[in-house]
Amino acid sequence: MGLETTCIGAFPKPDYVTKAGWREDGPGERSEGGARGFAYVDNQVGTAAVELLDRATGEAVRDQVACGIDIPTDGEQRRENYIYYHCHHLNGIDFTDLSTKVHRSGAAIADLPTVTGKVEPKGGHFLDRDFRVAQGFTDKPLKITVPGPMTIIDTIADTYYGDEAALARDLAGALNFEIRALAEAGCRFIQIDEPVFARNPDDALQFGIECLERCFDGVGAEVTKVMHMCCGYPGHLDDEDYAKADSGAYLRLAGALDSSRIDQVSIEDAHRFNDLVLLESFDQSTVVFGAVAIATSRVEGAEDIARRLALALEHIDRGRLLAAPDCGLLMLDRPLAMAKLRNLCEAAASV
């Protein structure tokens, strides 16, 4: 029996869906080393009809299923930005009073939304509808993704709390409000994205994993609780020289994550091979193993992917390994994304 497959989150957007959210070289000086500058541009809200976003979601789900993916996502089609889509539904975050901040461990400068008050839900749910729409396009279990507290903090500016741990705990409580609604709607795979864990493992160990667990307070065992931890996202396709998290970060965090209430830990392997002894640190958790790169136009062959998966299985039980792309597929066009997913699924079935 082959390995199960899943996607991480984003899928290429069709031309009729607004792709804005960031523009390069925004206000502010570049940091030392030529870090990229960005300014947030909020031009998705109110411009894309609900019908078009629902249609795009259906196409993304069907494409993943057609490639053989066992646990597809909604493709994040309605998110102008995978962090800010959620932040728009929170009180305490101001999208008009932006603050310049060096973030992504110094790799980018941005004019960011600013925390000006206590962070809490605005009151109404929204991800439960996103889930119901996406699940309606497939009989396979549908996964919904949510940005984690530390990752949100990295992409906003704080002028209210002055304490990242306190802000993270309030963000976790606000995220939990939405995650519980997702679970009640029937979503059985819920993923928290925390790429900042790999870039800042000290804070992840100090308060990040605690807040990650808080996101799932009150969510029962029927829900598979997933966290995704990538190593960094490039500025463009085929960017070979972009900042990546320290290669030892996964090993530092593996034990603490394995002993947490998280069921699945998603890691990257395709863009930079790990020492696969890492997998032996996961005694209980399932590992979602990134086996195709998401920022290169090169399509990995199914045989090459299968060989790497077979090596991984020398270090972890078959029932605790899923195959996936490294991260979201937003940088790829649809044919390229589907070619990679087909080869991934062929490889996973053959192992």
Side-chain angles (χ1 to χ4, degrees):
M1 185 174 182
L3 299 175
E4 277 196 313
T5 57
T6 187
C7 282
I8 301 304
F11 194 79
K13 293 185 178 182
D15 291 340
Y16 58 80
V17 170
T18 304
K19 299 180 179 66
W22 294 96
R23 60 178 169 82
E24 196 159 0
D25 296 323
E29 298 296 326
R30 289 175 178 263
S31 65
E32 293 183 10
R36 293 173 290 133
F38 289 95
Y40 181 66
V41 181
D42 180 10
N43 66 352
Q44 165 109 354
V45 177
T47 63
V50 171
E51 295 81 13
L52 288 180
L53 293 171
D54 289 352
R55 171 185 160 193
T57 298
E59 291 173 359
V61 172
R62 291 189 184 111
D63 281 351
Q64 292 170 72
V65 171
C67 291
I69 294 294
D70 296 304
I71 307 167
T73 72
D74 68 343
E76 299 180 1
Q77 295 297 295
R78 62 188 81 244
R79 305 187 187 198
E80 82 282 4
N81 171 281
Y82 92 105
I83 295 171
Y84 295 147
Y85 177 69
H86 202 113
C87 291
H88 276 296
H89 296 84
L90 302 177
N91 288 321
I93 301 178
D94 190 337
F95 277 79
T96 59
D97 182 15
L98 305 183
S99 300
T100 301
K101 175 182 173 181
V102 177
H103 68 133
R104 297 186 187 179
S105 301
I109 301 172
D111 284 352
L112 302 179
T114 305
V115 178
T116 57
K118 182 176 174 59
V119 173
E120 55 190 3
K122 286 186 176 178
H125 294 294
F126 64 102
L127 286 182
D128 53 343
R129 182 192 182 274
D130 290 0
F131 164 71
R132 290 188 183 98
V133 169
Q135 186 64 81
F137 294 108
T138 180
D139 293 331
K140 294 179 179 288
L142 196 288
K143 180 168 67 178
I144 294 291
T145 61
V146 181
M150 278 184 57
T151 295
I152 292 176
I153 289 171
D154 188 58
T155 319
I156 57 178
D158 173 35
T159 62
Y160 179 78
Y161 284 84
D163 181 339
E164 286 196 355
L167 174 54
R169 292 185 182 101
D170 277 0
L171 280 166
L175 294 170
N176 177 252
F177 173 77
E178 203 61 40
I179 288 169
R180 290 177 71 162
L182 264 179
E184 291 169 7
C187 186
R188 293 298 173 258
F189 289 86
I190 301 175
Q191 176 180 299
I192 305 289
D193 294 330
E194 279 289 23
V196 173
F197 271 31
R199 298 206 300 270
N200 194 344
D202 289 337
D203 282 354
L205 292 168
Q206 185 176 349
F207 61 85
I209 294 175
E210 169 204 336
C211 291
L212 180 66
E213 292 185 306
R214 186 179 295 219
C215 290
F216 288 109
D217 279 352
V219 177
E222 72 278 3
V223 173
T224 299
K225 304 165 186 68
V226 190
M227 75 87 60
H228 169 62
M229 180 170 49
C230 70
C231 295
Y233 222 76
H236 57 82
L237 190 64
D238 293 321
D239 182 359
E240 297 290 338
D241 186 27
Y242 65 94
K244 304 175 184 68
D246 185 274
S247 59
Y250 282 166
L251 190 58
R252 285 192 62 192
L253 294 165
L257 286 167
D258 190 56
S259 61
S260 74
R261 64 191 298 187
I262 300 303
D263 301 308
Q264 295 183 357
V265 179
S266 167
I267 63 172
E268 294 186 340
D269 186 73
H271 89 287
R272 181 180 63 194
F273 283 175
N274 298 286
D275 181 343
L276 293 177
V277 173
L278 165 70
L279 301 179
E280 298 175 13
S281 298
F282 296 98
D283 294 325
Q284 306 173 70
S285 308
T286 293
V287 172
V288 180
F289 190 76
V292 295
I294 51 81
T296 174
S297 56
R298 182 180 68 85
V299 178
E300 301 87 340
E303 291 184 358
D304 291 335
I305 300 168
R307 276 193 291 270
R308 188 63 179 170
L309 292 174
L311 288 174
L313 286 171
E314 296 178 7
H315 300 274
I316 192 169
D317 298 337
R318 174 177 294 272
R320 292 192 298 111
L321 190 72
L322 273 74
D326 267 354
C327 196
L329 301 171
L330 187 61
M331 284 194 168
L332 310 177
D333 61 28
R334 178 174 177 260
L336 187 54
M338 293 185 73
K340 284 177 175 274
L341 290 184
R342 287 191 190 100
N343 284 358
L344 172 73
C345 294
E346 180 183 338
S350 72
V351 175

